[in-house]
Amino acid sequence: MSYKNCAMIITMSSDGVVQRAYRFRFYPTPQQEDLLRCTIGCCRLVYNKALAARTEAWTTRHERIGFAETSRQLTLWKNTEELSFLNDVSSVALQRSVRHLQAAFSNFFNQRGDYPEFKKKSHGGSASFMRTAFTWDGRDLKLAKMGEPLNIKWSRTLPRSAKPSSVTVILDAAGRWHVSILVEEHVKPLPKAGTQVGIDMGLTDFAITSNGEKTANPRFRKRDAQRLRKAQRDLARKRKGSNNHRRAMLKVARIQARIADRRKDFLHKLSTRIVRENQTVVIEDLAVKNMSRRCKPVADPQQPGRWKRNGQTAKRALNRGITDAGWRMLRTMLAYKCEWYGRQLVVIDRWYPSSQICSTCGKNTGRKPLNVRAWTCPACHTTHDRDVNAAKNILAAGLAVNVCGDQRKHRDALSQCEA
């Protein structure tokens, strides 16, 4: 097994100036809501038409259409009779939709994302406005073609003398309105800390650190599983396209939004505490998408309409637990917070056998089933907690790459992987 390029180190930029988005809830008037819904719908239409045009050009003629050609097509669409309503909304928001599609294709061609998908009305939507399409006086925000400022609930204060570079209005699937204000801010690095920590992710305990601290897994989806299950059953009984179906969809979306909000709040608090207390943070590069592959249910021939209670039931429960945990979201938060505050994040290879190696003597004792939570090393007779031992090995592997850039030490640490 090759361990070439198995670590990634993320450090803070030298200038300390970052672009930071502040998100707030706002409550539009009926007139503002009509205009915003029309703007979001037009942005979604332009995005989908541009995506269809670019896809059709490539599949039929093997022709690649870029941003300039798509912008010219947008102008032609606005001059047609059937799409003349595009002139009723801000042209800046429509142009930004084309920009977002171009960014999605760039990520796809650079292997940073999947092929762009068509946007759905049921998922809500968003519209972005640049400086020429909104006015900001330090207190009130007014968008283009809007006579009154937005009624924003300022849950936190913006930096002094902040000048927003862009504003994004977001309508989520639960019917809530948010505004995201992007500003440039100078983030002051935190004082240097003399501690390092390795973190092992789990399901029984969400995060286990190398110093023995365990953070319980809150399991937010499991808490609301009964309410969500009932709401989804009610939704399945409604006729698609009816008002009852839309109301049932909104109820499901609100439950899911509540779960997502609590999960994000928990991860923000945990990641901030980890970054404040430690100078170096080491984590594993977990392949969450591969770990949470969906299992097909198996029908029970003896009980029609029911599924067999076999090993796949446990697999589906495991998959739900992995997707509910939010491991990737924690890694993303740790990455940008370490960059902001002058910390260092080291990501070691996903194939590093952290749970197989004894953190005391370095002996590789082989694979262990998930039900083995504690084990004794046959070489040094040290009894280990499975997760704490893995966290210690993760920290050791991360520090091996970090010490003066000495890759030899890292290869020595990884050489224990060979059985």
Side-chain angles (χ1 to χ4, degrees), residues 93-114:
L94 302 180
Q95 191 71 17
R96 293 302 299 173
S97 294
V98 180
R99 290 275 184 188
H100 293 160
L101 179 62
Q102 179 64 30
F105 270 106
S106 298
N107 292 334
F108 170 70
F109 291 129
N110 294 326
Q111 298 182 353
R112 294 194 301 264
D114 297 331

mmCIF file with all atom_site columns, all heavy atoms in Angstrom, residues 93-114:
data_model
loop_
_atom_site.group_PDB
_atom_site.id
_atom_site.type_symbol
_atom_site.label_atom_id
_atom_site.label_alt_id
_atom_site.label_comp_id
_atom_site.label_asym_id
_atom_site.label_entity_id
_atom_site.label_seq_id
_atom_site.pdbx_PDB_ins_code
_atom_site.Cartn_x
_atom_site.Cartn_y
_atom_site.Cartn_z
_atom_site.occupancy
_atom_site.B_iso_or_equiv
_atom_site.pdbx_formal_charge
_atom_site.auth_seq_id
_atom_site.auth_comp_id
_atom_site.auth_asym_id
_atom_site.auth_atom_id
_atom_site.pdbx_PDB_model_num
ATOM 1   N N   . ALA A 1 93  ? -28.732 40.234 -10.335 1.00 0.00 ? 93  ALA A N   1
ATOM 2   C CA  . ALA A 1 93  ? -29.009 38.919 -9.768  1.00 0.00 ? 93  ALA A CA  1
ATOM 3   C C   . ALA A 1 93  ? -29.008 37.843 -10.855 1.00 0.00 ? 93  ALA A C   1
ATOM 4   O O   . ALA A 1 93  ? -28.510 36.728 -10.636 1.00 0.00 ? 93  ALA A O   1
ATOM 5   C CB  . ALA A 1 93  ? -30.350 38.938 -9.036  1.00 0.00 ? 93  ALA A CB  1
ATOM 6   N N   . LEU A 1 94  ? -29.548 38.159 -12.037 1.00 0.00 ? 94  LEU A N   1
ATOM 7   C CA  . LEU A 1 94  ? -29.543 37.198 -13.129 1.00 0.00 ? 94  LEU A CA  1
ATOM 8   C C   . LEU A 1 94  ? -28.123 36.928 -13.612 1.00 0.00 ? 94  LEU A C   1
ATOM 9   O O   . LEU A 1 94  ? -27.768 35.775 -13.912 1.00 0.00 ? 94  LEU A O   1
ATOM 10  C CB  . LEU A 1 94  ? -30.409 37.711 -14.280 1.00 0.00 ? 94  LEU A CB  1
ATOM 11  C CG  . LEU A 1 94  ? -31.880 38.014 -13.953 1.00 0.00 ? 94  LEU A CG  1
ATOM 12  C CD1 . LEU A 1 94  ? -32.601 38.502 -15.197 1.00 0.00 ? 94  LEU A CD1 1
ATOM 13  C CD2 . LEU A 1 94  ? -32.576 36.785 -13.382 1.00 0.00 ? 94  LEU A CD2 1
ATOM 14  N N   . GLN A 1 95  ? -27.320 37.980 -13.687 1.00 0.00 ? 95  GLN A N   1
ATOM 15  C CA  . GLN A 1 95  ? -25.938 37.796 -14.121 1.00 0.00 ? 95  GLN A CA  1
ATOM 16  C C   . GLN A 1 95  ? -25.152 36.954 -13.116 1.00 0.00 ? 95  GLN A C   1
ATOM 17  O O   . GLN A 1 95  ? -24.299 36.153 -13.501 1.00 0.00 ? 95  GLN A O   1
ATOM 18  C CB  . GLN A 1 95  ? -25.272 39.163 -14.307 1.00 0.00 ? 95  GLN A CB  1
ATOM 19  C CG  . GLN A 1 95  ? -23.927 39.132 -15.000 1.00 0.00 ? 95  GLN A CG  1
ATOM 20  C CD  . GLN A 1 95  ? -24.047 38.805 -16.475 1.00 0.00 ? 95  GLN A CD  1
ATOM 21  O OE1 . GLN A 1 95  ? -25.117 38.912 -17.045 1.00 0.00 ? 95  GLN A OE1 1
ATOM 22  N NE2 . GLN A 1 95  ? -22.950 38.404 -17.093 1.00 0.00 ? 95  GLN A NE2 1
ATOM 23  N N   . ARG A 1 96  ? -25.445 37.127 -11.828 1.00 0.00 ? 96  ARG A N   1
ATOM 24  C CA  . ARG A 1 96  ? -24.754 36.329 -10.818 1.00 0.00 ? 96  ARG A CA  1
ATOM 25  C C   . ARG A 1 96  ? -25.132 34.842 -10.934 1.00 0.00 ? 96  ARG A C   1
ATOM 26  O O   . ARG A 1 96  ? -24.323 33.979 -10.622 1.00 0.00 ? 96  ARG A O   1
ATOM 27  C CB  . ARG A 1 96  ? -25.110 36.846 -9.419  1.00 0.00 ? 96  ARG A CB  1
ATOM 28  C CG  . ARG A 1 96  ? -24.586 38.225 -9.112  1.00 0.00 ? 96  ARG A CG  1
ATOM 29  C CD  . ARG A 1 96  ? -23.079 38.304 -9.242  1.00 0.00 ? 96  ARG A CD  1
ATOM 30  N NE  . ARG A 1 96  ? -22.397 37.405 -8.313  1.00 0.00 ? 96  ARG A NE  1
ATOM 31  C CZ  . ARG A 1 96  ? -21.097 37.183 -8.317  1.00 0.00 ? 96  ARG A CZ  1
ATOM 32  N NH1 . ARG A 1 96  ? -20.321 37.778 -9.215  1.00 0.00 ? 96  ARG A NH1 1
ATOM 33  N NH2 . ARG A 1 96  ? -20.547 36.367 -7.426  1.00 0.00 ? 96  ARG A NH2 1
ATOM 34  N N   . SER A 1 97  ? -26.344 34.537 -11.371 1.00 0.00 ? 97  SER A N   1
ATOM 35  C CA  . SER A 1 97  ? -26.721 33.141 -11.570 1.00 0.00 ? 97  SER A CA  1
ATOM 36  C C   . SER A 1 97  ? -25.856 32.497 -12.635 1.00 0.00 ? 97  SER A C   1
ATOM 37  O O   . SER A 1 97  ? -25.441 31.333 -12.504 1.00 0.00 ? 97  SER A O   1
ATOM 38  C CB  . SER A 1 97  ? -28.202 33.046 -11.966 1.00 0.00 ? 97  SER A CB  1
ATOM 39  O OG  . SER A 1 97  ? -29.029 33.469 -10.913 1.00 0.00 ? 97  SER A OG  1
ATOM 40  N N   . VAL A 1 98  ? -25.563 33.245 -13.693 1.00 0.00 ? 98  VAL A N   1
ATOM 41  C CA  . VAL A 1 98  ? -24.675 32.726 -14.735 1.00 0.00 ? 98  VAL A CA  1
ATOM 42  C C   . VAL A 1 98  ? -23.272 32.537 -14.178 1.00 0.00 ? 98  VAL A C   1
ATOM 43  O O   . VAL A 1 98  ? -22.578 31.567 -14.507 1.00 0.00 ? 98  VAL A O   1
ATOM 44  C CB  . VAL A 1 98  ? -24.684 33.674 -15.948 1.00 0.00 ? 98  VAL A CB  1
ATOM 45  C CG1 . VAL A 1 98  ? -23.764 33.157 -17.046 1.00 0.00 ? 98  VAL A CG1 1
ATOM 46  C CG2 . VAL A 1 98  ? -26.098 33.840 -16.489 1.00 0.00 ? 98  VAL A CG2 1
ATOM 47  N N   . ARG A 1 99  ? -22.834 33.467 -13.330 1.00 0.00 ? 99  ARG A N   1
ATOM 48  C CA  . ARG A 1 99  ? -21.518 33.333 -12.682 1.00 0.00 ? 99  ARG A CA  1
ATOM 49  C C   . ARG A 1 99  ? -21.461 32.078 -11.817 1.00 0.00 ? 99  ARG A C   1
ATOM 50  O O   . ARG A 1 99  ? -20.457 31.360 -11.803 1.00 0.00 ? 99  ARG A O   1
ATOM 51  C CB  . ARG A 1 99  ? -21.238 34.564 -11.832 1.00 0.00 ? 99  ARG A CB  1
ATOM 52  C CG  . ARG A 1 99  ? -20.970 35.834 -12.596 1.00 0.00 ? 99  ARG A CG  1
ATOM 53  C CD  . ARG A 1 99  ? -19.519 35.934 -12.990 1.00 0.00 ? 99  ARG A CD  1
ATOM 54  N NE  . ARG A 1 99  ? -19.214 37.192 -13.644 1.00 0.00 ? 99  ARG A NE  1
ATOM 55  C CZ  . ARG A 1 99  ? -18.044 37.455 -14.222 1.00 0.00 ? 99  ARG A CZ  1
ATOM 56  N NH1 . ARG A 1 99  ? -17.088 36.530 -14.229 1.00 0.00 ? 99  ARG A NH1 1
ATOM 57  N NH2 . ARG A 1 99  ? -17.830 38.608 -14.805 1.00 0.00 ? 99  ARG A NH2 1
ATOM 58  N N   . HIS A 1 100 ? -22.523 31.839 -11.072 1.00 0.00 ? 100 HIS A N   1
ATOM 59  C CA  . HIS A 1 100 ? -22.546 30.662 -10.201 1.00 0.00 ? 100 HIS A CA  1
ATOM 60  C C   . HIS A 1 100 ? -22.494 29.375 -11.016 1.00 0.00 ? 100 HIS A C   1
ATOM 61  O O   . HIS A 1 100 ? -21.849 28.404 -10.607 1.00 0.00 ? 100 HIS A O   1
ATOM 62  C CB  . HIS A 1 100 ? -23.806 30.687 -9.336  1.00 0.00 ? 100 HIS A CB  1
ATOM 63  C CG  . HIS A 1 100 ? -23.814 31.795 -8.342  1.00 0.00 ? 100 HIS A CG  1
ATOM 64  N ND1 . HIS A 1 100 ? -24.977 32.257 -7.747  1.00 0.00 ? 100 HIS A ND1 1
ATOM 65  C CD2 . HIS A 1 100 ? -22.811 32.558 -7.833  1.00 0.00 ? 100 HIS A CD2 1
ATOM 66  C CE1 . HIS A 1 100 ? -24.688 33.249 -6.914  1.00 0.00 ? 100 HIS A CE1 1
ATOM 67  N NE2 . HIS A 1 100 ? -23.379 33.438 -6.944  1.00 0.00 ? 100 HIS A NE2 1
ATOM 68  N N   . LEU A 1 101 ? -23.164 29.352 -12.173 1.00 0.00 ? 101 LEU A N   1
ATOM 69  C CA  . LEU A 1 101 ? -23.093 28.177 -13.025 1.00 0.00 ? 101 LEU A CA  1
ATOM 70  C C   . LEU A 1 101 ? -21.679 27.975 -13.559 1.00 0.00 ? 101 LEU A C   1
ATOM 71  O O   . LEU A 1 101 ? -21.181 26.846 -13.618 1.00 0.00 ? 101 LEU A O   1
ATOM 72  C CB  . LEU A 1 101 ? -24.083 28.316 -14.181 1.00 0.00 ? 101 LEU A CB  1
ATOM 73  C CG  . LEU A 1 101 ? -24.094 27.159 -15.184 1.00 0.00 ? 101 LEU A CG  1
ATOM 74  C CD1 . LEU A 1 101 ? -24.489 25.855 -14.508 1.00 0.00 ? 101 LEU A CD1 1
ATOM 75  C CD2 . LEU A 1 101 ? -25.034 27.462 -16.343 1.00 0.00 ? 101 LEU A CD2 1
ATOM 76  N N   . GLN A 1 102 ? -21.022 29.073 -13.928 1.00 0.00 ? 102 GLN A N   1
ATOM 77  C CA  . GLN A 1 102 ? -19.647 28.971 -14.407 1.00 0.00 ? 102 GLN A CA  1
ATOM 78  C C   . GLN A 1 102 ? -18.729 28.434 -13.314 1.00 0.00 ? 102 GLN A C   1
ATOM 79  O O   . GLN A 1 102 ? -17.851 27.597 -13.567 1.00 0.00 ? 102 GLN A O   1
ATOM 80  C CB  . GLN A 1 102 ? -19.159 30.336 -14.891 1.00 0.00 ? 102 GLN A CB  1
ATOM 81  C CG  . GLN A 1 102 ? -17.728 30.367 -15.382 1.00 0.00 ? 102 GLN A CG  1
ATOM 82  C CD  . GLN A 1 102 ? -17.521 29.495 -16.614 1.00 0.00 ? 102 GLN A CD  1
ATOM 83  O OE1 . GLN A 1 102 ? -18.439 29.314 -17.405 1.00 0.00 ? 102 GLN A OE1 1
ATOM 84  N NE2 . GLN A 1 102 ? -16.321 28.964 -16.769 1.00 0.00 ? 102 GLN A NE2 1
ATOM 85  N N   . ALA A 1 103 ? -18.935 28.884 -12.079 1.00 0.00 ? 103 ALA A N   1
ATOM 86  C CA  . ALA A 1 103 ? -18.134 28.377 -10.960 1.00 0.00 ? 103 ALA A CA  1
ATOM 87  C C   . ALA A 1 103 ? -18.401 26.892 -10.731 1.00 0.00 ? 103 ALA A C   1
ATOM 88  O O   . ALA A 1 103 ? -17.484 26.121 -10.421 1.00 0.00 ? 103 ALA A O   1
ATOM 89  C CB  . ALA A 1 103 ? -18.445 29.175 -9.699  1.00 0.00 ? 103 ALA A CB  1
ATOM 90  N N   . ALA A 1 104 ? -19.661 26.457 -10.904 1.00 0.00 ? 104 ALA A N   1
ATOM 91  C CA  . ALA A 1 104 ? -19.985 25.036 -10.730 1.00 0.00 ? 104 ALA A CA  1
ATOM 92  C C   . ALA A 1 104 ? -19.290 24.191 -11.787 1.00 0.00 ? 104 ALA A C   1
ATOM 93  O O   . ALA A 1 104 ? -18.776 23.097 -11.492 1.00 0.00 ? 104 ALA A O   1
ATOM 94  C CB  . ALA A 1 104 ? -21.498 24.837 -10.792 1.00 0.00 ? 104 ALA A CB  1
ATOM 95  N N   . PHE A 1 105 ? -19.241 24.678 -13.030 1.00 0.00 ? 105 PHE A N   1
ATOM 96  C CA  . PHE A 1 105 ? -18.546 23.934 -14.081 1.00 0.00 ? 105 PHE A CA  1
ATOM 97  C C   . PHE A 1 105 ? -17.041 23.928 -13.833 1.00 0.00 ? 105 PHE A C   1
ATOM 98  O O   . PHE A 1 105 ? -16.362 22.926 -14.111 1.00 0.00 ? 105 PHE A O   1
ATOM 99  C CB  . PHE A 1 105 ? -18.863 24.535 -15.449 1.00 0.00 ? 105 PHE A CB  1
ATOM 100 C CG  . PHE A 1 105 ? -20.077 23.936 -16.106 1.00 0.00 ? 105 PHE A CG  1
ATOM 101 C CD1 . PHE A 1 105 ? -21.269 24.642 -16.176 1.00 0.00 ? 105 PHE A CD1 1
ATOM 102 C CD2 . PHE A 1 105 ? -20.036 22.668 -16.641 1.00 0.00 ? 105 PHE A CD2 1
ATOM 103 C CE1 . PHE A 1 105 ? -22.388 24.095 -16.770 1.00 0.00 ? 105 PHE A CE1 1
ATOM 104 C CE2 . PHE A 1 105 ? -21.152 22.100 -17.240 1.00 0.00 ? 105 PHE A CE2 1
ATOM 105 C CZ  . PHE A 1 105 ? -22.334 22.822 -17.311 1.00 0.00 ? 105 PHE A CZ  1
ATOM 106 N N   . SER A 1 106 ? -16.496 25.030 -13.342 1.00 0.00 ? 106 SER A N   1
ATOM 107 C CA  . SER A 1 106 ? -15.062 25.066 -13.037 1.00 0.00 ? 106 SER A CA  1
ATOM 108 C C   . SER A 1 106 ? -14.713 24.047 -11.966 1.00 0.00 ? 106 SER A C   1
ATOM 109 O O   . SER A 1 106 ? -13.691 23.345 -12.067 1.00 0.00 ? 106 SER A O   1
ATOM 110 C CB  . SER A 1 106 ? -14.657 26.474 -12.591 1.00 0.00 ? 106 SER A CB  1
ATOM 111 O OG  . SER A 1 106 ? -14.887 27.419 -13.619 1.00 0.00 ? 106 SER A OG  1
ATOM 112 N N   . ASN A 1 107 ? -15.547 23.938 -10.942 1.00 0.00 ? 107 ASN A N   1
ATOM 113 C CA  . ASN A 1 107 ? -15.307 22.935 -9.910  1.00 0.00 ? 107 ASN A CA  1
ATOM 114 C C   . ASN A 1 107 ? -15.407 21.522 -10.469 1.00 0.00 ? 107 ASN A C   1
ATOM 115 O O   . ASN A 1 107 ? -14.657 20.624 -10.064 1.00 0.00 ? 107 ASN A O   1
ATOM 116 C CB  . ASN A 1 107 ? -16.308 23.109 -8.766  1.00 0.00 ? 107 ASN A CB  1
ATOM 117 C CG  . ASN A 1 107 ? -16.092 24.385 -7.984  1.00 0.00 ? 107 ASN A CG  1
ATOM 118 O OD1 . ASN A 1 107 ? -14.981 24.911 -7.931  1.00 0.00 ? 107 ASN A OD1 1
ATOM 119 N ND2 . ASN A 1 107 ? -17.153 24.898 -7.382  1.00 0.00 ? 107 ASN A ND2 1
ATOM 120 N N   . PHE A 1 108 ? -16.334 21.318 -11.405 1.00 0.00 ? 108 PHE A N   1
ATOM 121 C CA  . PHE A 1 108 ? -16.479 19.991 -12.002 1.00 0.00 ? 108 PHE A CA  1
ATOM 122 C C   . PHE A 1 108 ? -15.258 19.630 -12.850 1.00 0.00 ? 108 PHE A C   1
ATOM 123 O O   . PHE A 1 108 ? -14.722 18.515 -12.727 1.00 0.00 ? 108 PHE A O   1
ATOM 124 C CB  . PHE A 1 108 ? -17.746 19.956 -12.861 1.00 0.00 ? 108 PHE A CB  1
ATOM 125 C CG  . PHE A 1 108 ? -17.871 18.713 -13.703 1.00 0.00 ? 108 PHE A CG  1
ATOM 126 C CD1 . PHE A 1 108 ? -18.133 17.484 -13.126 1.00 0.00 ? 108 PHE A CD1 1
ATOM 127 C CD2 . PHE A 1 108 ? -17.728 18.781 -15.081 1.00 0.00 ? 108 PHE A CD2 1
ATOM 128 C CE1 . PHE A 1 108 ? -18.235 16.338 -13.892 1.00 0.00 ? 108 PHE A CE1 1
ATOM 129 C CE2 . PHE A 1 108 ? -17.832 17.644 -15.862 1.00 0.00 ? 108 PHE A CE2 1
ATOM 130 C CZ  . PHE A 1 108 ? -18.090 16.422 -15.269 1.00 0.00 ? 108 PHE A CZ  1
ATOM 131 N N   . PHE A 1 109 ? -14.792 20.563 -13.677 1.00 0.00 ? 109 PHE A N   1
ATOM 132 C CA  . PHE A 1 109 ? -13.652 20.270 -14.537 1.00 0.00 ? 109 PHE A CA  1
ATOM 133 C C   . PHE A 1 109 ? -12.356 20.128 -13.738 1.00 0.00 ? 109 PHE A C   1
ATOM 134 O O   . PHE A 1 109 ? -11.445 19.410 -14.150 1.00 0.00 ? 109 PHE A O   1
ATOM 135 C CB  . PHE A 1 109 ? -13.492 21.354 -15.598 1.00 0.00 ? 109 PHE A CB  1
ATOM 136 C CG  . PHE A 1 109 ? -14.585 21.348 -16.634 1.00 0.00 ? 109 PHE A CG  1
ATOM 137 C CD1 . PHE A 1 109 ? -15.266 22.511 -16.949 1.00 0.00 ? 109 PHE A CD1 1
ATOM 138 C CD2 . PHE A 1 109 ? -14.941 20.183 -17.284 1.00 0.00 ? 109 PHE A CD2 1
ATOM 139 C CE1 . PHE A 1 109 ? -16.277 22.503 -17.897 1.00 0.00 ? 109 PHE A CE1 1
ATOM 140 C CE2 . PHE A 1 109 ? -15.952 20.161 -18.230 1.00 0.00 ? 109 PHE A CE2 1
ATOM 141 C CZ  . PHE A 1 109 ? -16.626 21.326 -18.539 1.00 0.00 ? 109 PHE A CZ  1
ATOM 142 N N   . ASN A 1 110 ? -12.273 20.793 -12.590 1.00 0.00 ? 110 ASN A N   1
ATOM 143 C CA  . ASN A 1 110 ? -11.090 20.677 -11.739 1.00 0.00 ? 110 ASN A CA  1
ATOM 144 C C   . ASN A 1 110 ? -11.228 19.559 -10.701 1.00 0.00 ? 110 ASN A C   1
ATOM 145 O O   . ASN A 1 110 ? -10.429 19.492 -9.761  1.00 0.00 ? 110 ASN A O   1
ATOM 146 C CB  . ASN A 1 110 ? -10.810 22.006 -11.032 1.00 0.00 ? 110 ASN A CB  1
ATOM 147 C CG  . ASN A 1 110 ? -10.423 23.102 -12.002 1.00 0.00 ? 110 ASN A CG  1
ATOM 148 O OD1 . ASN A 1 110 ? -9.776  22.834 -13.017 1.00 0.00 ? 110 ASN A OD1 1
ATOM 149 N ND2 . ASN A 1 110 ? -10.819 24.335 -11.712 1.00 0.00 ? 110 ASN A ND2 1
ATOM 150 N N   . GLN A 1 111 ? -12.272 18.736 -10.854 1.00 0.00 ? 111 GLN A N   1
ATOM 151 C CA  . GLN A 1 111 ? -12.513 17.583 -9.987  1.00 0.00 ? 111 GLN A CA  1
ATOM 152 C C   . GLN A 1 111 ? -12.691 17.982 -8.525  1.00 0.00 ? 111 GLN A C   1
ATOM 153 O O   . GLN A 1 111 ? -12.279 17.268 -7.616  1.00 0.00 ? 111 GLN A O   1
ATOM 154 C CB  . GLN A 1 111 ? -11.371 16.562 -10.126 1.00 0.00 ? 111 GLN A CB  1
ATOM 155 C CG  . GLN A 1 111 ? -11.232 15.998 -11.526 1.00 0.00 ? 111 GLN A CG  1
ATOM 156 C CD  . GLN A 1 111 ? -10.143 14.962 -11.638 1.00 0.00 ? 111 GLN A CD  1
ATOM 157 O OE1 . GLN A 1 111 ? -9.394  14.735 -10.692 1.00 0.00 ? 111 GLN A OE1 1
ATOM 158 N NE2 . GLN A 1 111 ? -10.033 14.325 -12.785 1.00 0.00 ? 111 GLN A NE2 1
ATOM 159 N N   . ARG A 1 112 ? -13.334 19.136 -8.323  1.00 0.00 ? 112 ARG A N   1
ATOM 160 C CA  . ARG A 1 112 ? -13.679 19.567 -6.963  1.00 0.00 ? 112 ARG A CA  1
ATOM 161 C C   . ARG A 1 112 ? -15.159 19.408 -6.664  1.00 0.00 ? 112 ARG A C   1
ATOM 162 O O   . ARG A 1 112 ? -15.604 19.724 -5.557  1.00 0.00 ? 112 ARG A O   1
ATOM 163 C CB  . ARG A 1 112 ? -13.269 21.030 -6.761  1.00 0.00 ? 112 ARG A CB  1
ATOM 164 C CG  . ARG A 1 112 ? -11.783 21.289 -6.791  1.00 0.00 ? 112 ARG A CG  1
ATOM 165 C CD  . ARG A 1 112 ? -11.466 22.671 -6.258  1.00 0.00 ? 112 ARG A CD  1
ATOM 166 N NE  . ARG A 1 112 ? -12.122 23.708 -7.027  1.00 0.00 ? 112 ARG A NE  1
ATOM 167 C CZ  . ARG A 1 112 ? -11.557 24.390 -8.015  1.00 0.00 ? 112 ARG A CZ  1
ATOM 168 N NH1 . ARG A 1 112 ? -10.301 24.137 -8.345  1.00 0.00 ? 112 ARG A NH1 1
ATOM 169 N NH2 . ARG A 1 112 ? -12.218 25.325 -8.666  1.00 0.00 ? 112 ARG A NH2 1
ATOM 170 N N   . GLY A 1 113 ? -15.929 18.932 -7.626  1.00 0.00 ? 113 GLY A N   1
ATOM 171 C CA  . GLY A 1 113 ? -17.372 18.778 -7.432  1.00 0.00 ? 113 GLY A CA  1
ATOM 172 C C   . GLY A 1 113 ? -17.976 17.935 -8.541  1.00 0.00 ? 113 GLY A C   1
ATOM 173 O O   . GLY A 1 113 ? -17.323 17.602 -9.535  1.00 0.00 ? 113 GLY A O   1
ATOM 174 N N   . ASP A 1 114 ? -19.252 17.584 -8.366  1.00 0.00 ? 114 ASP A N   1
ATOM 175 C CA  . ASP A 1 114 ? -19.975 16.809 -9.360  1.00 0.00 ? 114 ASP A CA  1
ATOM 176 C C   . ASP A 1 114 ? -20.504 17.717 -10.467 1.00 0.00 ? 114 ASP A C   1
ATOM 177 O O   . ASP A 1 114 ? -20.417 18.942 -10.391 1.00 0.00 ? 114 ASP A O   1
ATOM 178 C CB  . ASP A 1 114 ? -21.136 16.059 -8.696  1.00 0.00 ? 114 ASP A CB  1
ATOM 179 C CG  . ASP A 1 114 ? -20.654 15.044 -7.667  1.00 0.00 ? 114 ASP A CG  1
ATOM 180 O OD1 . ASP A 1 114 ? -19.534 14.526 -7.845  1.00 0.00 ? 114 ASP A OD1 1
ATOM 181 O OD2 . ASP A 1 114 ? -21.402 14.787 -6.702  1.00 0.00 ? 114 ASP A OD2 1
#
